[in-house]
Amino acid sequence: MAITSQPCRTKAAAVSPPMPPLAPRTSAFFEFIIAPPLVRTNTGCDRMKGIGELASAAESFSMNPRVSWDDQRAFVAVLEEGSLSAAARRLGVSQPTVRARLNALEQALGVVLFTRSMRGVVPTDQARALIGPARMMASASETFIRAASEPVDRVAGIVRLSVSDVVGVELLPAMLVPLRHRHPDLILETVLSNASANVLEQEVDIAVRMHRPAQEALVAREVPPIAIGLFAHVDYLAARGTPRSVADLDGHDIIGSDRSVPDLAFASAFLPGVARNRYVVRTDSHPAQLAAARAGLGIAVVQLAIGLADDRLRRVLPDIELPPLRTRITTHESLRTSPRVRAVFDHLVTAFNAHGQRLTRDLISRR
């Protein structure tokens, strides 16, 4: 990789010798993948020169036979992971191989894609402009591989799911056990993120969403809403007392969101009067909020089924009705007839229906 402190380069370097293909990604029957953070953009190079180089790069992506898809995979991995070593681990290759791949791509395109800084490698404006098309190619490649993995005579192959972080950690694994027993040839890739995955462009095959899909090409089945409430550790309540009203919360330690706009809006609407300085633990990770409550750090919003099943937690202010999370299982209409996707889709609908029914029975038994 042509690491340099200069943001732009006008001359193309010589083509490097071809590199061996990247090692195939190690597969397992159940694979968790944390969605990468969004990449921020900034400005830098001279605009006219940048436009010319980007046009040249775009033409190279579509027409230049020297541009290898393995090189582009390395480019996407480095940009999303932020370092050569992390990208190498993700791709299952050595760091020198990743560096050589980037060198080959930069030389084929005639542009500099990364510069070196104290924080590692930093993408140039050219790299930021090219990441969109590169990600689309990566998504199309993964969709192709998932479709090709499906045999015609049985339920098998790769199905990629998107669920919220706390559902993926606390609920989904147990739901998938009977599915794996029934269809042992299924491979399940799970993206844990509170952001919506793009089902329309088949970034994932199935998404468990907490909002209604807007696109007409999607198929959605609504399942019982996920009820939520306030919970705290028994030791915390023993030391600090149990609040009797929402106003009492202003004298307690609250666990809540850091910067998530929807979560902050929810807290403002349904827990009014709780000063921001009472939020002593702030994180946008819902599993981290749950872990903080289980450690006794304060009071947190927790899914009822999860909180009631934990002997260390006690429900706080049970008479306060927080709005439940309407939940839908969603897929693309073109995938609904795929045996592997249909099997997982139908199983999730059944599993979430059963989950809601168990919670209803539990709540009735506690009255």
Side-chain angles (χ1 to χ4, degrees):
M1 178 178 57
I3 300 294
T4 176
S5 60
Q6 300 299 319
C8 293
R9 184 177 65 183
T10 57
K11 294 182 179 180
V15 178
S16 63
M19 297 299 300
L22 291 175
R25 183 177 181 175
T26 302
S27 63
F29 74 87
F30 191 48
E31 183 176 1
F32 280 97
I33 302 173
I34 305 299
L38 294 177
V39 178
R40 299 182 182 275
T41 61
N42 55 19
T43 59
C45 300
D46 176 78
R47 182 174 299 275
M48 292 308 295
K49 183 171 67 175
I51 291 174
E53 290 184 337
L54 290 179
S56 175
E59 182 180 4
S60 295
F61 263 107
S62 61
M63 300 177 62
N64 194 332
R66 298 175 299 174
V67 177
S68 162
W69 169 233
D70 283 333
D71 297 347
Q72 296 172 54
R73 286 179 61 207
F75 163 69
V76 173
V78 172
L79 197 147
E80 292 181 344
E81 299 295 335
S83 71
L84 297 178
S85 57
R89 288 192 297 270
R90 168 170 158 177
L91 296 172
V93 300
S94 67
Q95 182 172 327
T97 297
V98 174
R99 181 183 293 275
R101 285 292 180 196
L102 290 182
N103 273 334
L105 184 60
E106 288 184 327
Q107 292 169 2
L109 298 178
V111 296
V112 174
L113 297 174
F114 294 93
T115 61
R116 186 182 297 280
S117 75
M118 296 296 294
R119 296 173 298 173
V121 291
V122 179
T124 63
D125 289 342
Q126 288 92 336
R128 297 180 192 279
L130 292 172
I131 187 58
R135 279 179 173 153
M136 290 178 63
M137 293 174 65
S139 177
S141 174
E142 292 172 358
T143 300
F144 176 85
I145 292 172
R146 293 198 299 272
S149 71
E150 182 172 21
V152 296
D153 58 343
R154 67 188 188 281
V155 175
I158 302 170
V159 177
R160 189 169 176 84
L161 314 175
S162 171
V163 297
S164 67
D165 52 7
V166 73
V167 169
V169 172
E170 296 288 333
L171 302 182
L172 189 65
M175 290 181 174
L176 295 181
V177 171
L179 175 67
R180 280 280 305 145
H181 288 166
R182 189 161 58 251
H183 302 296
D185 293 327
L186 277 175
I187 297 173
L188 305 170
E189 296 181 346
T190 307
V191 179
L192 306 187
S193 175
N194 292 332
S196 295
N198 196 329
V199 181
L200 188 62
E201 295 183 3
Q202 299 184 28
E203 177 182 306
V204 297
D205 299 313
I206 299 172
V208 180
R209 287 181 164 176
M210 308 305 178
H211 59 83
R212 181 184 297 276
Q215 299 93 342
E216 294 182 356
L218 300 183
V219 177
R221 285 283 300 277
E222 187 157 359
V223 294
I226 295 178
I228 56 178
L230 297 174
F231 286 83
H233 194 282
V234 291
D235 292 345
Y236 171 86
L237 295 175
R240 299 288 298 274
T242 301
R244 303 299 177 187
S245 67
V246 174
D248 290 345
L249 292 176
D250 201 41
H252 280 268
D253 294 339
I254 308 299
I255 301 163
S257 180
D258 179 26
R259 299 181 182 182
S260 169
V261 174
D263 287 357
L264 291 174
F266 175 91
S268 177
F270 297 100
L271 298 176
V274 179
R276 182 61 176 164
N277 62 7
R278 299 311 311 166
Y279 286 80
V280 299
V281 177
R282 304 175 186 180
T283 172
D284 292 331
S285 166
H286 295 166
Q289 293 178 14
L290 177 59
R294 285 170 169 165
L297 286 171
I299 300 173
V301 175
V302 177
Q303 292 186 19
L304 285 192
I306 297 172
L308 295 175
D310 193 326
D311 293 338
R312 300 166 293 177
L313 299 179
R314 294 291 182 271
R315 191 174 180 185
V316 175
L317 300 176
D319 293 335
I320 296 179
E321 293 188 5
L322 299 178
L325 307 174
R326 295 185 64 180
T327 306
R328 298 171 179 85
I329 316 300
T330 308
T331 188
H332 195 282
E333 63 180 2
S334 66
L335 296 175
R336 190 66 176 92
T337 57
S338 164
R340 62 186 169 86
V341 174
R342 185 183 183 92
V344 178
F345 184 96
D346 291 345
H347 176 81
L348 289 177
V349 170
T350 300
F352 275 92
N353 281 331
H355 175 74
Q357 293 166 3
R358 285 193 300 270
L359 176 60
T360 299
R361 292 194 297 268
D362 188 12
L363 293 174
I364 291 175
S365 68
R366 292 171 182 269
R367 292 176 180 172

